[in-house]
Amino acid sequence: MAQTIYKQTPSSILDKVDNYYMCQGEQYILKNDYNVGEDVDLILYSLVSKLDDIISSGVCLNTPTERIIEKLNLILTR
Amino acid sequence: MDIRLNFQVYDSRDPKEFIIIDTSRWEHLSEKTSIIEITLPGESKPVIRYYTKGVNVFNSEMLYLSCDDCGDAFEDLPDGIYKITVKGSPDKFNKTRQYLRTTKTRLKLDQLYINAAGCFNSNEDSRKTVIKINEIDFLLKSAEANTRAGNNEIAQELFFKAQKILDKNSKCKTCK
């Protein structure tokens, strides 16, 4: 995957996704190394990750990208 | 217009190639020589090569990783954090990026997916394997995000954890 190619717009949803990945990474380390906090919700991660892939690819059959971004935004701001 | 150096790393998923695409606005520097410095994972000194203002493809030979008795075959390039700097002439025009290469690790993860598909039978073990695959994928994505943000230490830690879980789960116990 072209990991730097689509990750360059500072205010984009993709930066929010990056922040989510980073926060969850920290949560994973805290739980696994220090038994602090909660486990990472890997089901939610799967959903975010797949939406991230769809937005990054720029190709979606029936739903406009803006709608997917809106949905992803809702998940990330919960 | 101002000169603006920039490039993107493109992962073709080929472990033998490392591709960098130039996206700079070179203006009057376009005819001048430019170089690229690539510091490989675990190394302190960069490999220095001439830089093409287009697509740059590097392999083990160009990165001085080939061994003497390897023949013409290229080696797989190592995964880990690469530091890449492109310099124009004069070198006050430059751009640096850190890039976590996960190509080989992701190929191993692909194999784990394939093994899981071959072994999958809805029992507890199969489900555990799929959960582990998801966990590895999550760790890699988090490591990549941390590298982009410059948090190399956390990125390394997450990447090593992913590799450890991957190695532990790479042996399919019941089928091939």
Side-chain angles (χ1 to χ4, degrees):
Chain A
M1 189 162 297
Q3 68 168 274
T4 67
I5 278 187
Y6 59 83
K7 301 278 185 182
Q8 45 178 346
T9 313
S11 58
S12 74
I13 182 72
L14 299 173
D15 280 328
K16 282 187 190 168
V17 175
D18 258 15
N19 278 334
Y20 165 80
Y21 291 149
M22 286 191 284
C23 286
Q24 295 302 300
E26 202 178 328
Q27 187 176 325
Y28 181 94
I29 290 172
L30 282 174
K31 180 65 184 175
N32 280 268
D33 293 2
Y34 308 102
N35 199 25
V36 172
E38 291 176 9
D39 276 322
V40 171
D41 183 347
L42 288 174
I43 302 294
L44 180 62
Y45 159 73
S46 297
L47 184 61
V48 171
S49 171
K50 188 43 80 179
L51 290 173
D52 179 20
D53 289 346
I54 292 168
I55 293 168
S56 302
S57 75
V59 180
C60 182
L61 290 178
N62 296 321
T63 311
T65 308
E66 292 73 25
R67 282 294 309 278
I68 308 170
I69 290 173
E70 212 177 285
K71 285 171 194 288
L72 184 52
N73 239 328
L74 276 174
I75 295 170
L76 294 175
T77 49
R78 261 182 206 167
Chain B
M1 277 195 168
D2 290 341
I3 293 165
R4 189 189 66 103
L5 264 57
N6 202 8
F7 61 88
Q8 305 295 332
V9 182
Y10 177 72
D11 185 356
S12 65
R13 306 198 78 179
D14 181 342
K16 298 187 190 311
E17 285 184 347
F18 185 64
I19 300 173
I20 291 175
I21 301 167
D22 182 57
T23 57
S24 306
R25 197 161 59 212
W26 288 94
E27 299 293 329
H28 64 275
L29 299 183
S30 59
E31 298 302 315
K32 292 194 172 180
T33 306
S34 48
I35 60 163
I36 185 165
E37 295 177 351
I38 301 173
T39 308
L40 299 166
E43 300 289 334
S44 53
K45 284 189 179 172
V47 171
I48 302 168
R49 308 289 306 194
Y50 284 113
Y51 179 73
T52 308
K53 297 174 180 74
V55 178
N56 295 258
V57 183
F58 300 97
N59 54 42
S60 57
E61 195 178 274
M62 297 169 83
L63 295 174
Y64 306 116
L65 289 170
S66 292
C67 54
D68 292 336
D69 51 356
C70 290
D72 290 335
F74 295 129
E75 301 288 297
D76 286 352
L77 300 175
D79 279 355
I81 296 176
Y82 286 64
K83 184 182 172 195
I84 308 147
T85 302
V86 169
K87 290 181 176 173
S89 177
D91 68 1
K92 67 173 182 176
F93 299 107
N94 62 71
K95 170 78 182 178
T96 299
R97 273 188 192 277
Q98 309 261 14
Y99 168 72
L100 174 63
R101 184 177 169 90
T102 56
T103 312
K104 280 179 76 174
T105 309
R106 285 201 180 275
L107 287 175
K108 280 189 196 168
L109 185 60
D110 286 352
Q111 191 55 55
L112 199 54
Y113 272 109
I114 294 163
N115 289 350
C119 297
F120 194 81
N121 58 10
S122 295
N123 66 16
E124 193 61 23
D125 275 357
S126 290
R127 290 185 183 282
K128 273 184 189 166
T129 304
V130 174
I131 289 166
K132 281 292 168 198
I133 288 173
N134 209 7
E135 188 177 342
I136 295 161
D137 186 60
F138 157 70
L139 287 168
L140 291 177
K141 283 225 171 156
S142 186
E144 288 165 355
N146 273 289
T147 307
R148 282 190 286 273
N151 307 325
N152 286 7
E153 216 168 293
I154 299 173
Q156 289 274 22
E157 193 175 343
L158 293 164
F159 182 55
F160 289 149
K161 280 180 189 299
Q163 286 184 314
K164 202 173 163 186
I165 300 170
L166 184 57
D167 287 342
K168 203 175 162 186
N169 287 274
S170 283
K171 288 165 195 144
C172 183
K173 292 163 196 129
T174 53
C175 59
K176 287 181 184 174

